[in-house]
Amino acid sequence: MGSFRVVSEGPLTRPLSGTVYVGGAKNSALKLMAATLLAPGRSVVHNVPDILDVAVMGELLRTLGCEVEIAYPEDADPTTGSTAGRVTIDVPEELEHEAPYELVRRLRASISVLGPLVARCHRASVALPGGDAIGSRGLDMHITGLQELGAVVRIEHGQVVAEVPDGLLGTNLWLDFPSVGATENLVMAAVLARGTTVIDNVAREPEIIDLCQMLSAMGARIEGISSSTLVIEGVERLHPVEHSTVTDRIVAGTWVFATAIAGGDLHIDGGVTHHLDIVLDKLVASGAEIESTETGFSVRTHRRLRSFDVSTLPYPGFPTDLQPFAMALAAVSSGTAMITENVFEARFMFAQELARLGADLRTDGHHAVVRGVPTLSGAPVVAHDIRAGAALVLGGLAAQGATVVAESQHIDRGYPWFAEALAAVGADVSRLQD
């Protein structure tokens, strides 16, 4: 447990300046680690963020029989370069097939071992996942897809139990919603299935492309990467690889909103503009300046921005993970914004905490109306999940006085050295230990 303390005199009073470094994507690195289960031998995943979730996934892989070494630069410094490291995973020929609750409850991404275990072991028992309090993420599409591939799946004593009596067999699948997790699990199961699997309406996030590219390097046969339909020709065996994780678009987007809220001129080293097209377009229309560079892009804001509406959608739509930051920005922008959350029903838990900082907002179902005010007011608040916690810290940059964000361990699950990196570019942010 811990807290972040933010001190400010209000928006635009302490502008950010300098360079921040964006490493590998949390939402990709964890799935790439799970994918190594598909190939016996030593795989290495590079550009892995220095976050708690990586350590938890490493522990989970060890319980499945793998040897895992996680290494970060000894001189890691968020003020001078990326803190990303590498994970070396030695996968045995014979895997354990049970993922225990005590680890799975700490990490929603742990469900991503289900597909690889079913494919490799022909059986799996994975505890129903825990993680952030942002709403239910049903496993119906995971389970239905595995059943159509030939698995017998049931929920038993809090575990998802899957068995494949006759081996997985390729088929045609349709996802009711382009779920990232279901896409990942079904692709990882299908690469070792007999025959051809066609999956329609898949997720198209950069992290999905990253996973498919790693699987292809391992010997998988996947067509349609980056499209809404994947065609997978099953193979008998995959081989281990070395692969570098795609850059984290959500972390890059977080730094964009930090600059939009606090003001200033920030270079985001490692940021990829085309991963954030709709986000950057909205910010430019509201008055921010964005410029591509050789190593990333820069964002500049020197005045109060205009409000803009947000409606979250699967990629390439506005990311749900950036919605709390859009709400925090709307709270101090000129005008009124309508925020519509279409992905996670409990994202608006964050709104209650933002209101404690003086935000003028109202929520109704999956809609929120935010009327911008000139400044917020520092107060104690609580981080309920990764993105809400980081967004409350950024809200503190636009609040007069001190803001203390409790339960900062959530932030550390998604952001390496967040307080330290903010302090390095001019914010008065410090880490408190309870």
Side-chain angles (χ1 to χ4, degrees):
M1 297 293 182
S3 303
F4 284 176
R5 184 173 187 267
V6 189
V7 179
S8 175
E9 297 176 7
L12 307 178
T13 59
R14 192 170 181 135
L16 306 181
S17 178
T19 299
V20 290
Y21 301 88
V22 179
K26 161 190 178 290
N27 290 336
S28 188
L30 301 175
K31 318 304 174 61
L32 300 178
M33 291 173 67
T36 64
L37 294 170
L38 290 163
R42 175 173 293 183
S43 287
V44 182
V45 182
H46 295 278
N47 197 31
V48 173
D50 186 1
I51 56 174
L52 295 176
D53 280 7
V54 169
V56 176
M57 180 61 83
E59 283 299 312
L60 177 56
L61 295 183
R62 290 187 185 102
T63 68
L64 298 174
C66 302
E67 295 181 11
V68 181
E69 179 187 349
I70 303 173
Y72 297 104
E74 292 183 3
D75 57 350
D77 186 342
T79 68
T80 60
S82 174
T83 59
R86 71 175 186 277
V87 179
T88 303
I89 304 168
D90 285 291
V91 180
E93 287 285 349
E94 298 293 331
L95 282 169
E96 299 294 329
H97 70 279
E98 184 169 346
Y101 174 70
E102 57 266 24
L103 287 173
V104 173
R105 69 181 178 85
R106 297 165 55 191
L107 182 65
R108 282 188 182 271
S110 57
I111 195 62
S112 60
V113 304
L114 178 62
L117 289 178
V118 171
R120 277 286 315 278
C121 306
H122 291 184
R123 57 179 178 165
S125 178
V126 180
L128 292 168
D132 291 329
I134 55 175
S136 62
R137 303 193 200 183
L139 299 180
D140 289 355
M141 284 183 284
H142 303 243
I143 292 171
T144 299
L146 289 174
Q147 289 172 331
E148 293 185 18
L149 287 168
V152 176
V153 188
R154 63 187 183 277
I155 306 296
E156 186 176 88
H157 305 302
Q159 301 276 124
V160 181
V161 179
E163 297 172 336
V164 191
D166 301 313
L168 295 174
L169 186 63
T171 188
N172 294 334
L173 303 175
W174 168 267
L175 300 183
D176 292 335
F177 177 84
S179 160
V180 171
T183 299
E184 290 162 342
N185 256 327
L186 296 178
V187 167
M188 287 190 283
V191 292
L192 292 180
R194 299 194 308 275
T196 301
T197 300
V198 179
I199 313 177
D200 278 315
N201 198 32
V202 297
R204 293 183 289 156
E205 277 77 356
E207 297 80 17
I208 295 290
I209 296 172
D210 196 27
L211 174 63
C212 288
Q213 289 174 338
M214 176 172 161
L215 292 171
S216 296
M218 295 169 73
R221 298 175 182 173
I222 305 174
E223 296 181 2
I225 297 173
S226 81
S227 76
S228 60
T229 301
L230 294 175
V231 180
I232 304 160
E233 185 69 34
V235 297
E236 290 187 4
R237 188 177 177 91
L238 299 177
H239 56 79
V241 294
E242 293 197 23
H243 181 85
S244 186
T245 310
V246 69
T247 190
D248 197 319
R249 63 194 170 96
I250 304 302
V251 170
T254 300
W255 288 115
V256 172
F257 279 103
T259 314
I261 290 169
D265 185 344
L266 205 62
H267 181 245
I268 302 170
D269 192 295
V272 180
T273 55
H274 72 79
H275 288 171
L276 294 165
D277 280 341
I278 192 169
V279 176
L280 299 183
D281 285 348
K282 285 182 173 292
L283 283 161
V284 169
S286 74
E289 300 174 26
I290 308 291
E291 181 181 353
S292 293
T293 68
E294 290 185 2
T295 60
F297 62 92
S298 295
V299 55
R300 302 180 189 89
T301 59
H302 300 291
R303 63 185 183 277
R304 190 182 185 197
L305 299 184
R306 297 180 294 275
S307 292
F308 55 86
D309 295 339
V310 165
S311 181
T312 64
L313 289 169
Y315 188 86
F318 198 100
T320 182
D321 278 355
L322 291 181
Q323 180 261 98
F325 304 98
M327 185 178 289
L329 175 59
V332 291
S333 296
S334 63
T336 300
M338 171 71 80
I339 311 289
T340 303
E341 176 55 59
N342 294 308
V343 181
F344 292 127
E345 69 274 13
R347 276 282 193 210
F348 284 166
M349 290 175 62
F350 163 75
Q352 302 167 15
E353 298 300 310
L354 190 61
R356 286 183 51 77
L357 298 180
D360 182 358
L361 55 83
R362 301 290 184 273
T363 61
D364 182 9
H366 64 117
H367 299 288
V369 176
V370 187
R371 296 176 177 86
V373 297
T375 187
L376 300 177
S377 178
V381 289
V382 178
H384 292 293
D385 65 78
I386 296 170
R387 310 307 172 186
L392 288 169
V393 172
L394 300 193
L397 300 179
Q400 291 182 339
T403 299
V404 176
V405 182
E407 299 193 22
S408 60
Q409 75 276 4
H410 290 297
I411 302 171
D412 290 332
R413 286 182 48 223
Y415 294 90
W417 304 79
F418 191 53
E420 295 78 4
L422 271 169
V425 293
D428 188 349
V429 180
S430 56
R431 185 184 296 270
L432 306 178
Q433 296 299 324
D434 293 345

